[in-house]
Every structure is written in structure tokens, then in C-alpha cells.
Amino acid sequence: MSDHELEMENALRNYVPDTDAERRLVRKLDFFMMPTLWVMYILAYIDRQNIGNARVAGMGDDLDLSDSEYAMLLSIFFIGYLICEVPSNLILTRSRPSYYLPGLMIVWGTVCACMSVAQNYEGMLAMRFFLGCIEAGFFPGVLYLMTCWYKKAEIGKRFSIFFTASVFSGALSGLLAGAITGNMEGVRGIRGWRWLYLIEGVCTVGFAILFKFIMLDFPETTKRFSLEERQLAAVRMMYDRNTTAARHGTKLTHWEAVKAAFADPRTYVFTILFIMDLGSCTISYFIPTIVREMGYTSVHAQYMTIPIWMVAAVFLVVLSFTADRTGDRRWHVAGCLCLSFACTIVCIAVDSSVVLYVMLCFYIAGLYTALPLILNWTSEVVSLPAEKRAVVVAFVNSVGNLSAVYGSRLWPAADGPQFVRGFATTGAFTGFGTLLAIAIPILFKYFPTEGRTNAEREILKREQAQLDNRDQGSIV
């Protein structure tokens, strides 16, 4: 064992949870990590979803987009997402997040700004594809980074708070879109939807440059914390995940991590569950259109999307705290999906714009609350080796996002105002997802967890030997 591993092993042996020093560390970590990542995700989601606002503001007419072409613009983003997400997370495990994540942000902000000059469907299609390729690394990268810093009892509420950025961005996107398209239409001879892309893209690049100087790296390498703080951050994560200092000397290669992830049946179970949820979330790109079909004007429809996302934000914050406090993921996920399932039934059965709008609020709340809980659940169940965890989380998220390829075709404007096709399909998704979430602990009793590839077994065997030696009071 190296001197560094010996030092870390001794520190682990003397570690006492929840000391004043650890609480100060977590507060400092929250100060650096949470606001930065939250704003970054808001900007990422706005740059991804502003296509729905741009369509209502005149992009569809200017580019002569049919329903199928608009659906393809949504789908192509997630094709790029699928291709690049796992490779990006593998790169992140060997790089510095303080450079890598803001770098991605600069590139996608630039692509978003360039969308303002698109003159036809083909040009917009190409830029949406590249936007998906670049944004692919951000969300799973953040989840992986947070699992390197926060304990299992800490990460659920924090990741859900981070994820509230996705619902706040829906509200903020409507507010910005209403303000920009309502006040900038025709300024300097430029349509309002073009100003929307340009302003939001430039803002993203500006924030990315600022965040480069705030972002944290991994616990062992960050320059924002002192040596003692870095050591405490690393030791508490070893203790929480029942791992050892030996972990830091032995890592899976990229290829070994991919093989270990794909050999584990739990990867595919969580992927299916995530698809059921995220496939239903494709309605988010059509909320301005659905609200407009209720009879509101273009600009008014932008503002009417705000309450929908605010209800979701309240659900997300409250239920993330109860999930962490109870240590439960199973029933929280199942309950959220069941709520969305019930809302789809009401939306199909009742012919009332007011009822549809209210049900839409709770439908979105259930779906978007379940999403981070599913990813938390995944990272907790498949926690080690860390490289495998990075691949599993990226794979679950990327394949889940691919559901937009077909989900984007469920909400054509001609189906309004009830959108029976969309709600019937997503009702099937959420109903099945509810049953699957309930069944997962039962299914996993039949899945061995000692590793299915030689490289993974060797690392886990070494981990167990170190833990046994530590428990016996000796160091080898």
C-alpha cells in the first residue's frame, strides 16, 4: 500500500460522522456547488426547450415547418444526445469538471445563438443535432460529480433541488419568451423568435465564463478547498459507500466500465423505468402549443405556462426532502408516476379547458418529481465501481432521452384541445412505470451484485479484503 493510501486508510479508521468540521465542509460545498449547477441547468434547459416558445412566436411560419418537421427538430436533439452522453461521462471521469462543464456550456450557448440566423428547416436541423451532442455531457456529468461529493443521505434532496432548475426553467422560459418576443419583434428588422435564440445563447456563454472560476473539481483534486477539507471530503465518501483507499489506486478502464455496465441487468431495468417517465415528459415541448389551443393568444400562452412549472417545483422540493428523510425511492417514484397516470385519465375523459389546465399542472409535477428520484435510485443501487456508475447513469439518461424521437409525435396541434392520442399513450407509460417501480426490489433479489466482468470482480474483491482487514484492526 502506498503512503497516500496508508494515510487515507488511517484517516478512514479515525473518521467520525457528522462532526462540526464535516458540517462546515458540507455548507461550503453547498455554497460552491448548488447555485452554480442550478443556474447552469436552467440555462441548459432554456436553450434546449426554447424551440417550443420560438415555434409559437413565428418560427414555424417563417421556416414553413410541418408538424412532422417540428417533431424531427425535437428528435434530432436526442439522437445527438444518445450518441455522445456515455463517451462524455467517460471523459469527465479523467478530466477536471471546472474546465469540462463550463467548456461544454460555452459551445452549446454558441450553437443556440447561431440558431437565430437559421433560414430553413435543414439549417435548424443541423444545429439542433449539434446542440444535443454538446449538451449530452452536462446532466449525467453533474449527477456523477455530485455522487463523488455527497453522501447517499445528502444527495437526494440536493439533486432534486438541482433538478428544480428544469421546472423553473420552464417558467422562466415562458417569462423570457413573452418579454423578448413581445418587445423585440421587428427590432432592427429581426423577428422576435430570432432575438430569443440570440439573447439566450449569449447569456449562456457569459455565465459559462464566470462559472469556470467557481466550479469544483473532484474531492481529491479541487483547488477550492484546503488539504484537510479535501481529505475529509474523500474519507467521508469512502465511509458512506463502504469503500476503501484501495479504490483510488485501482480504476476500471473506459472499456471495462462499459462492459461492466452493460453486463448488469439492473442497468436495463432502470433504463426502462426512465423511458416510461421521460417518454411522457415530451409534452413539455408542446405546453405552449397546448395552452394556445385552449384559446389564448401567442404571447399570453407563453405566460400561462408559468403556473404549470411552479406547481411542479413545489412537488419536486417537498417530495425530495421526504424521500431523503425516509430513505425511500420505490414508493415515491411509484406515487409520482401514479399521479401522472390518474391525470391522463381525467384529461381524456373530461372536455373542459379549465380541468385540462389543472390536470396538466399535476401531470407535469408527477413526472418531473420522479425523474431525479429514478436517477438517484440508479446511482445508489449501482454505486461501485465509480466508473461503472458513471456509465450506467449516462446510459440510463441517454436512452431515456431518446424517447423524444417517438414522444415528439404524440402531440400534433390538430389533436387539440384534448390531445387524446398523447394522453392515452403517456397514460400507458406512466401506468406501466408505476407497476415497474413497485416491482423493482422484488426483481433485484434475483440479480447477483458481485460483478459480472473479471475487472469489476477484482476491484470489488480487493475492496472487500481491505474492508475485512480494516474491521479486524489491521492494515495491509
Side-chain angles (χ1 to χ4, degrees):
M1 181 179 289
S2 68
D3 291 341
H4 173 69
E5 288 183 342
L6 184 61
E7 180 183 355
M8 294 299 291
E9 195 67 41
N10 283 326
L12 181 58
R13 194 183 299 276
N14 297 321
Y15 170 73
V16 177
D18 201 31
T19 60
D20 289 340
E22 183 171 357
R23 285 194 290 269
R24 287 194 299 271
L25 173 70
V26 173
R27 286 195 297 268
K28 185 175 180 179
L29 175 59
D30 288 340
F31 178 78
F32 276 93
M33 181 88 73
M34 297 307 299
T36 302
L37 296 179
W38 195 79
V39 175
M40 290 175 77
Y41 194 35
I42 279 183
L43 294 170
Y45 229 79
I46 285 176
D47 293 343
R48 175 192 309 187
Q49 286 198 313
N50 55 13
I51 187 171
N53 302 106
R55 183 194 190 192
V56 172
M59 182 189 72
D61 294 332
D62 289 357
L63 302 186
D64 194 25
L65 298 178
S66 64
D67 280 346
S68 62
E69 287 175 334
Y70 177 71
M72 190 60 196
L73 289 177
L74 301 183
S75 303
I76 198 70
F77 174 93
F78 294 102
I79 293 173
Y81 212 89
L82 175 67
I83 293 171
C84 297
E85 191 160 354
V86 171
S88 180
N89 239 27
L90 288 172
I91 293 171
L92 177 64
T93 64
R94 299 293 198 272
S95 63
R96 293 182 58 182
S98 62
Y99 282 89
Y100 190 69
L101 295 178
L104 291 179
M105 194 175 174
I106 289 173
V107 178
W108 91 59
T110 302
V111 173
C112 179
C114 290
M115 289 181 180
S116 64
V117 299
Q119 298 300 319
N120 51 47
Y121 163 70
E122 290 76 16
M124 185 63 75
L125 190 69
M127 284 186 278
R128 284 284 298 178
F129 174 76
F130 286 115
L131 184 68
C133 290
I134 303 304
E135 271 200 40
F138 177 71
F139 183 83
V142 166
L143 180 55
Y144 176 72
L145 178 63
M146 292 179 72
T147 59
C148 293
W149 279 99
Y150 287 110
K151 292 181 177 180
K152 292 179 182 178
E154 299 167 345
I155 193 171
K157 65 176 73 71
R158 287 169 174 83
F159 186 67
S160 293
I161 289 172
F162 160 75
F163 198 76
T164 59
S166 66
V167 293
F168 273 109
S169 69
L172 182 60
S173 181
L175 184 63
L176 288 175
I180 294 173
T181 60
N183 295 294
M184 299 293 289
E185 179 65 38
V187 174
R188 295 185 179 274
I190 300 174
R191 291 297 310 272
W193 68 267
R194 295 187 184 275
W195 280 113
L196 182 67
Y197 280 125
L198 180 61
I199 292 173
E200 292 179 351
V202 170
C203 286
T204 298
V205 173
F207 275 101
I209 295 171
L210 172 64
F211 291 153
K212 160 64 187 72
F213 302 99
I214 303 175
M215 276 287 297
L216 298 176
D217 292 317
F218 296 114
E220 302 89 344
T221 58
T222 187
K223 299 183 183 300
R224 311 290 179 213
F225 289 0
S226 67
L227 176 61
E228 292 77 14
E229 289 171 330
R230 292 198 301 270
Q231 185 181 69
L232 177 58
V235 166
R236 75 191 209 101
M237 293 308 298
M238 294 178 199
Y239 180 89
D240 184 62
R241 295 191 179 276
N242 201 28
T243 185
T244 71
R247 155 70 180 82
H248 298 273
T250 309
K251 294 184 177 182
L252 294 177
T253 66
H254 289 169
W255 179 237
E256 288 170 343
V258 171
K259 288 196 296 183
F262 289 168
D264 193 331
R266 296 172 300 178
T267 301
Y268 305 103
V269 174
F270 280 120
T271 300
I272 294 171
L273 180 62
F274 202 63
I275 287 173
M276 295 300 100
D277 192 344
L278 207 52
S280 305
C281 286
T282 52
I283 192 177
S284 62
Y285 294 92
F286 298 87
I287 288 177
T289 301
I290 293 173
V291 174
R292 186 181 62 183
E293 290 299 313
M294 295 178 186
Y296 296 101
T297 63
S298 176
V299 174
H300 197 188
Q302 308 279 17
Y303 290 118
M304 286 298 293
T305 64
I306 296 173
I308 295 172
W309 294 106
M310 297 309 295
V311 171
V314 172
F315 268 72
L316 185 52
V317 171
V318 172
L319 291 181
S320 66
F321 274 83
T322 61
D324 269 7
R325 183 173 294 275
T326 61
D328 171 72
R329 299 288 182 261
R330 177 192 192 183
W331 295 109
H332 278 73
V333 170
C336 289
L337 293 177
C338 188
L339 172 63
S340 296
F341 170 72
C343 289
T344 63
I345 301 301
V346 176
C347 288
I348 293 172
V350 178
D351 184 14
S352 167
S353 295
V354 174
V355 173
L356 176 61
Y357 186 83
V358 173
M359 289 298 102
L360 196 56
C361 292
F362 290 108
Y363 173 83
I364 292 293
L367 293 178
Y368 275 80
T369 302
L371 282 175
L373 293 176
I374 293 171
L375 292 176
N376 283 337
W377 198 4
T378 304
S379 66
E380 290 173 2
V381 171
V382 190
S383 60
L384 291 173
E387 295 77 23
K388 175 184 176 181
R389 182 174 78 247
V391 173
V392 170
V393 170
F395 179 77
V396 169
N397 191 57
S398 62
V399 175
N401 274 285
L402 196 62
S403 60
V405 173
Y406 53 84
S408 60
R409 288 160 171 78
L410 298 177
W411 311 96
D415 285 0
Q418 283 189 279
F419 297 90
V420 173
R421 183 193 324 182
F423 283 118
T425 305
T426 56
F429 287 171
T430 51
F432 178 75
T434 300
L435 298 176
L436 180 60
I438 294 171
I440 277 179
I442 301 171
L443 292 174
F444 284 3
K445 289 181 180 179
Y446 301 98
F447 297 160
T449 58
E450 68 274 10
R452 288 169 180 76
T453 65
N454 291 333
E456 184 183 2
R457 278 194 289 268
E458 285 300 315
I459 287 181
L460 296 179
K461 185 185 299 182
R462 185 178 177 190
E463 291 282 350
Q464 189 58 52
Q466 290 291 333
L467 288 169
D468 291 342
N469 287 319
R470 188 181 76 198
D471 293 339
Q472 293 167 9
S474 62
I475 301 175
V476 297

